[in-house]
Amino acid sequence: MEFHFLLNGTVATAVLISANSVALAATDTTHKAGNQRGAGIPYATSHKPASGPKSVKQKNPEQLTVSARRSYARGITETISSEVLSRSVPGTNPQKVLATRPGVMFQSADPQGLDTWSAQFYMHGFLQNQIGMTLDGIPLGDQEFRSLNGLNTTAAIASENVGRVNMSMSAGAESVASTSNLGGSLEYFSSDPSHEHHLTTAQTFGSNAAYHTFIRADSGDLNQIGSRFYVSYMRNNSDKWKGGGNQFAQQVNAKFLQPIGQDSRISTFFDWSDKDLYNYQDMSFDMLKNGGYKLDNFVGTPDGYAKAYRLAQSLNNLPGGAIPAGYSRMSDPWDASYYDAVTAERDYLGGLTADFSLTHALRWKTTIYGHGQYRRGGWTTPYLTSPNGAPLAEQINASNTQRYGFTSALTYTIAHNDISAGVWYENFHTQIGRYGIEQPLLGEGSPINALGTLPAGYQDFWSQTFNSNSFTAFVQDTYHPLENLALHFGFKSLLQTVRAGQNANDASYTGTDAIAAGSMTTARAFLPHISADWHFLRHHELFFDISENMKAYPVAAYKQGASPFAVTQSQFNQIRGGLKPETDWNYAVGYRYLDKILSASVYAYHTDFHNRLQQTTSGTIVNPISTVANVGSVTMNGVDAGLTIRLLRDVSLYNSVSYNHATYGDNLVEAGVTYATHGQQIVNYPRFMYKASLSYSHGGFEAHIDTQYLGQRNFSYVGDMKAPGYWLENLGMRYNFGKMAQYNRNLEFIKNITLSFDIYNLANQKYIATMGENGNPVSGDYQSFMVGAPRQFFGSIKAEF
């Protein structure tokens, strides 16, 4: 059951989460927020039965709509609305908007966060592959670049079609369909088709020839019962800000909604996504110091193939070899720039959801879905010789994945209880492998276009097949002994079996007689979850949350992740008996004070993490010695604190600080060598973060300036290599002209026009962004981080007809 509220509703507490300013505010039974900016998104405090989902039409653009499910009794669950998401640069990854929240970090090599290789999301020390993510109840899997059981959120839905995101920063709901939510969940919900027929068009121009187009057509109500649909098309293209090449994506979304009676509905969602990306080069500290901030691959630059060719000749001590000017300063000039590195991905995703009110107290919701994906990534390696004698070859990783599944749950409201139970089942099948394609001799043809149609390969280096069956079940009850108190009790069961098989193995390439083949099962019958949420006095809220969680064994192909299947057969045989799945206990407690002038919040958490699996790496980037290691226990203690002051009617100031003390509890032992990891902060995530935002709004105009500080991060496990802390500022301005008929009667067909201007990285800060994409070194340097984009400008115009 759901409650829907507007900003000018009358409830006890409220929260506004904004990409521009993260404000906490309150309304009560004696005060109406009206159109005042800074009023908040209400939380439901009544436990009276509701009739079910109902649409709420906004009276003006400043109103935000949110659904607060009664079965969730956790004050740590926050809702980010489409209005908030729309205040960022069009096409921006929603996870970058979520990073305005305390304890959340998002990193990417590109300003919009669309580069899938470099996109990295952390929430309270948990990486994206440890957080449950769904779209309309459809699981999105581990969210890693090479995920075999899901897809990136930007490939699942265009950002403009996201209706809201429910973010739980602790355990995540038991009902979330995931085998990886150790540390919270993100539930994306697509927006519903509009009741009114209209066309939305938006165009963005930006630095580096950025060009973003979005078109959406809503049918409006087709009949008296409200049947309706929309279809949208998105196209995003931008040159890389360094090196050559571009990053292109296009996407089609469609949704159909069929109401049934007063309180039931059937909906379908479809997504087609096409990504063709030239990737940014991975860097090391040596490369950054001696090669410079803008060091990148050669593709798209003058004589790029010739430079890569002669560099490969130099590596292989062949006549005609030459190292580009300045590269000799680096300890490994041959791996500083390749000819190209690419990612191509095609996704088809579809789901059907039936949400029925069987009685006034009993609801049944079921979703069935299917997903097909083709993905390939490649780079031109100087370590392989093409059959024609060229000292370069294109090395391609390609995968085909099909997955399908369903979720089904019943919710029953009786007396003071909201009881629900449900199941999720999924099967996925993946074939993945690596093969080589011949590159031409210099001057005897054009190099391979790795994003185009590829010729036949000359050699299969390795190939694996994966098949998995996942099953989860949950039971939960939210008990309301008082109007202002909710107590939540529940548990989740998890069972997953994965079987891997070897299809091909070139021992001269892999260096082993066999790569991992076999099966592994993750099982736990009882994962408990307890929480409570208490609204006391007029403006105060107190909540706590306790849970045990488990992550199924990760699935990754040979040398492609922290997975027991990413190793040789001999290593797999050694570790499969003693390896244990990752588990943790999470404890959280929080307090909020909310009124219309001053808002404050404190959130503290403690996590005991066991059997943490990490990919530890040494050697070169092209021939890494990667090991999947149990780095033992991790103890994490953290606190977030936020303060919002509405200085004047139109001005709001927000500040937050986050502290995370997450350390390894054991030393790491590898090949008989002991490394001093005990007491070291976990890799890639800072111990301290500060975020602030100053926003102004008057009439149709709004502006904001944001700043954040991320403290230093451990790059190596022993902490001898660190990424320095940095400040980053963003600026945005928007003006909504409203209906154009007020200016000219002949323009009444234009319902709304909005102009916006944004500057990313206002101070042109140089900083290290994504870290550990190729694994982290136990000690010392390694080519496994990316730098962030410099100052970028964006201008947008949006019109509704």
Side-chain angles (χ1 to χ4, degrees):
M1 298 188 178
E2 300 182 346
F3 294 98
H4 295 258
F5 300 95
L6 297 178
L7 291 185
N8 57 355
T10 55
V11 293
T13 61
V15 174
L16 171 63
I17 305 108
S18 170
N20 304 334
S21 61
V22 186
L24 300 176
T27 58
D28 55 45
T29 55
T30 61
H31 170 73
K32 290 184 179 289
N35 296 329
Q36 177 182 338
R37 297 303 299 263
I41 297 176
Y43 278 81
T45 56
S46 170
H47 66 266
K48 296 179 180 179
S51 59
K54 296 180 181 179
S55 61
V56 180
K57 296 184 179 179
Q58 299 182 7
K59 296 182 180 179
N60 59 63
E62 307 304 331
Q63 294 173 329
L64 306 183
T65 306
V66 65
S67 298
R69 292 184 180 272
R70 293 177 54 217
S71 59
Y72 294 175
R74 298 180 301 281
I76 54 173
T77 299
E78 302 182 29
T79 297
I80 294 83
S81 74
S82 60
E83 289 291 330
V84 170
L85 297 174
S86 68
R87 292 174 188 141
S88 59
V89 175
T92 296
N93 189 328
Q95 291 178 1
K96 186 172 183 177
V97 179
L98 300 181
T100 59
R101 302 300 298 132
V104 180
M105 183 186 77
F106 179 83
Q107 300 286 1
S108 180
D110 72 302
Q112 291 176 282
L114 301 180
D115 183 275
T116 52
W117 173 241
S118 66
Q120 188 178 69
F121 181 81
Y122 272 91
M123 191 162 68
H124 281 166
F126 290 96
L127 185 56
Q128 57 211 26
N129 65 351
Q130 299 167 328
I131 299 168
M133 297 193 194
T134 62
L135 169 63
D136 290 345
I138 300 173
L140 298 180
D142 277 356
Q143 290 294 295
E144 291 185 307
F145 172 74
R146 301 185 182 97
S147 173
L148 304 183
N149 68 342
L151 74 166
N152 190 277
T153 54
T154 60
I157 186 172
S159 61
E160 291 91 341
N161 290 328
V162 177
R164 71 180 191 275
V165 182
N166 287 350
M167 179 170 64
S168 174
M169 299 180 69
S170 184
E174 298 95 299
S175 57
V176 172
S178 173
T179 58
S180 58
N181 56 323
L182 285 169
S185 62
L186 296 179
E187 298 176 87
Y188 290 76
F189 295 91
S190 61
S191 59
D192 283 344
S194 172
H195 287 283
E196 300 178 356
H197 169 72
H198 70 266
L199 177 69
T200 301
T201 63
Q203 185 62 60
T204 299
F205 304 91
S207 300
N208 305 301
Y211 192 89
H212 178 87
T213 302
F214 178 78
I215 302 173
R216 170 169 156 168
D218 284 75
S219 69
D221 288 343
L222 300 174
N223 48 42
Q224 290 185 345
I225 62 175
S227 303
R228 56 197 189 273
F229 69 89
Y230 68 72
V231 178
S232 72
Y233 173 75
M234 182 280 294
R235 182 183 187 276
N236 197 96
N237 190 35
S238 175
D239 291 342
K240 291 168 57 186
W241 61 267
K242 66 173 181 174
N246 68 316
Q247 297 194 317
F248 172 82
Q250 59 181 340
Q251 193 167 27
V252 173
N253 288 159
K255 186 173 184 177
F256 176 78
L257 177 60
Q258 176 64 58
I260 299 175
Q262 296 296 315
D263 197 21
S264 299
R265 59 187 242 168
I266 294 176
S267 63
T268 62
F269 179 82
F270 171 78
D271 168 73
W272 170 75
S273 174
D274 171 21
K275 289 179 179 285
D276 291 289
L277 311 172
Y278 282 99
N279 299 124
Y280 293 91
Q281 173 65 301
D282 304 296
M283 300 189 72
S284 66
F285 286 93
D286 173 70
M287 291 168 59
L288 183 60
K289 177 182 178 181
N290 297 303
Y293 196 74
K294 291 192 174 183
L295 185 69
D296 203 63
N297 294 323
F298 295 122
V299 66
T301 62
D303 298 320
Y305 186 68
K307 292 178 181 177
Y309 195 96
R310 294 190 178 103
L311 189 60
Q313 289 177 313
S314 170
L315 172 66
N316 293 283
N317 297 313
L318 296 174
I323 297 177
Y327 277 57
S328 59
R329 294 193 301 266
M330 291 177 282
S331 61
D332 183 9
W334 303 280
D335 294 318
S337 299
Y338 306 122
Y339 173 66
D340 68 6
V342 302
T343 298
E345 183 178 323
R346 313 287 182 265
D347 287 286
Y348 297 86
L349 176 69
L352 183 149
T353 298
D355 188 0
F356 295 146
S357 176
L358 303 180
T359 70
H360 74 282
L362 180 64
R363 295 196 69 86
W364 176 46
K365 186 174 183 179
T366 295
T367 298
I368 58 175
Y369 63 91
H371 172 217
Q373 180 187 82
Y374 168 75
R375 180 198 287 132
R376 73 170 182 250
W379 58 287
T380 307
T381 173
Y383 291 87
L384 295 174
T385 300
S386 292
N388 61 4
L392 294 169
E394 193 72 19
Q395 186 170 257
I396 298 291
N397 290 340
S399 65
N400 284 280
T401 298
Q402 301 83 39
R403 65 186 182 106
Y404 61 89
F406 71 89
T407 65
S408 186
L410 289 168
T411 300
Y412 184 58
T413 300
I414 182 172
H416 297 283
N417 295 274
D418 298 315
I419 303 170
S420 60
V423 297
W424 166 50
Y425 168 78
E426 178 179 279
N427 172 270
F428 78 78
H429 177 83
T430 296
Q431 182 167 332
I432 183 171
R434 178 177 294 178
Y435 60 95
I437 297 178
E438 183 178 82
Q439 286 283 15
L441 294 167
L442 188 62
E444 296 187 9
S446 299
I448 296 299
N449 177 8
L451 292 176
T453 301
L454 296 178
Y458 66 84
Q459 179 67 46
D460 289 342
F461 299 128
W462 57 261
S463 177
Q464 286 174 291
T465 298
F466 295 93
N467 189 78
S468 170
N469 289 285
S470 301
F471 176 82
T472 66
F474 74 91
V475 176
Q476 61 185 16
D477 176 28
T478 301
Y479 174 57
H480 305 267
L482 302 171
E483 288 281 338
N484 60 342
L485 177 63
L487 305 176
H488 178 89
F489 309 90
F491 73 92
K492 176 180 179 179
S493 301
L494 183 154
L495 174 65
Q496 182 184 71
T497 298
V498 179
R499 180 174 295 277
Q502 174 188 292
N503 300 327
N505 176 51
D506 181 349
S508 65
Y509 178 88
T510 62
T512 181
D513 293 334
I515 57 178
S519 65
M520 296 194 72
T521 297
T522 307
R524 181 67 67 89
F526 186 73
L527 296 168
H529 186 193
I530 303 171
S531 62
D533 191 14
W534 180 33
H535 295 260
F536 63 101
L537 302 178
R538 174 174 289 184
H539 304 294
H540 304 266
E541 178 186 7
L542 185 65
F543 53 87
F544 76 85
D545 190 90
I546 302 173
S547 65
E548 184 184 15
N549 305 298
M550 172 183 281
K551 174 179 168 63
Y553 291 116
V555 183
Y558 184 61
K559 287 191 176 182
Q560 294 193 351
S563 167
F565 302 101
V567 297
T568 67
Q569 183 67 53
S570 60
Q571 289 175 314
F572 179 79
N573 294 337
Q574 290 174 2
I575 66 176
R576 67 183 301 186
L579 204 62
K580 297 181 180 180
E582 296 174 292
T583 60
D584 66 14
W585 276 95
N586 286 324
Y587 308 86
V589 61
Y591 166 80
R592 286 193 186 100
Y593 175 84
L594 308 164
D595 70 18
K596 67 178 189 177
I597 302 297
L598 175 68
S599 305
S601 65
V602 178
Y603 174 80
Y605 57 95
H606 171 83
T607 299
D608 292 318
F609 205 126
H610 303 285
N611 305 309
R612 186 151 183 161
L613 298 183
Q614 302 272 202
Q615 181 183 12
T616 59
T617 309
S618 58
T620 67
I621 187 70
V622 295
N623 188 28
I625 302 172
S626 297
T627 304
V628 179
N630 182 342
V631 296
S633 64
V634 172
T635 301
M636 183 160 58
N637 294 288
V639 62
D640 298 336
L643 177 67
T644 298
I645 304 174
R646 279 157 294 283
L647 303 173
L648 300 169
R649 177 181 177 85
D650 300 321
V651 179
S652 178
L653 175 64
Y654 165 77
N655 287 271
S656 76
V657 293
S658 302
Y659 179 78
N660 176 285
H661 187 270
T663 58
Y664 298 109
D666 305 280
N667 289 326
L668 178 63
V669 180
E670 275 194 346
V673 179
T674 300
Y675 296 92
T677 54
H678 174 73
Q680 285 293 331
Q681 178 77 5
I682 60 174
V683 294
N684 304 331
Y685 187 74
R687 184 162 287 183
F688 178 77
M689 287 189 285
Y690 169 77
K691 301 174 184 180
S693 179
L694 178 65
S695 63
Y696 171 80
S697 175
H698 184 77
F701 176 78
E702 64 178 61
H704 67 92
I705 183 168
D706 309 324
T707 185
Q708 64 172 339
Y709 174 76
L710 268 68
Q712 70 175 12
R713 292 166 285 166
N714 272 359
F715 179 65
S716 64
Y717 284 95
V718 299
D720 59 346
M721 298 296 290
K722 300 178 184 291
Y726 66 89
W727 288 90
L728 193 67
E729 289 77 36
N730 302 313
L731 173 70
M733 294 180 287
R734 280 160 184 75
Y735 189 80
N736 187 336
F737 289 89
K739 294 182 178 181
M740 299 307 293
Q742 61 182 314
Y743 305 103
N744 188 321
R745 186 177 299 176
N746 296 326
L747 299 177
E748 63 181 358
F749 66 95
I750 304 178
K751 299 178 182 179
N752 205 6
I753 286 186
T754 303
L755 297 179
S756 61
F757 177 72
D758 294 89
I759 304 177
Y760 166 80
N761 194 355
L762 184 64
N764 203 26
Q765 175 72 43
K766 294 182 178 181
Y767 65 98
I768 293 174
T770 310
M771 289 172 39
E773 69 276 9
N774 288 309
N776 292 81
V778 178
S779 177
D781 199 1
Y782 188 59
Q783 193 174 341
S784 189
F785 67 77
M786 294 184 177
V787 294
R791 184 188 297 121
Q792 306 279 287
F793 300 89
F794 298 92
S796 305
I797 180 171
K798 177 181 178 181
E800 298 177 0
F801 302 92

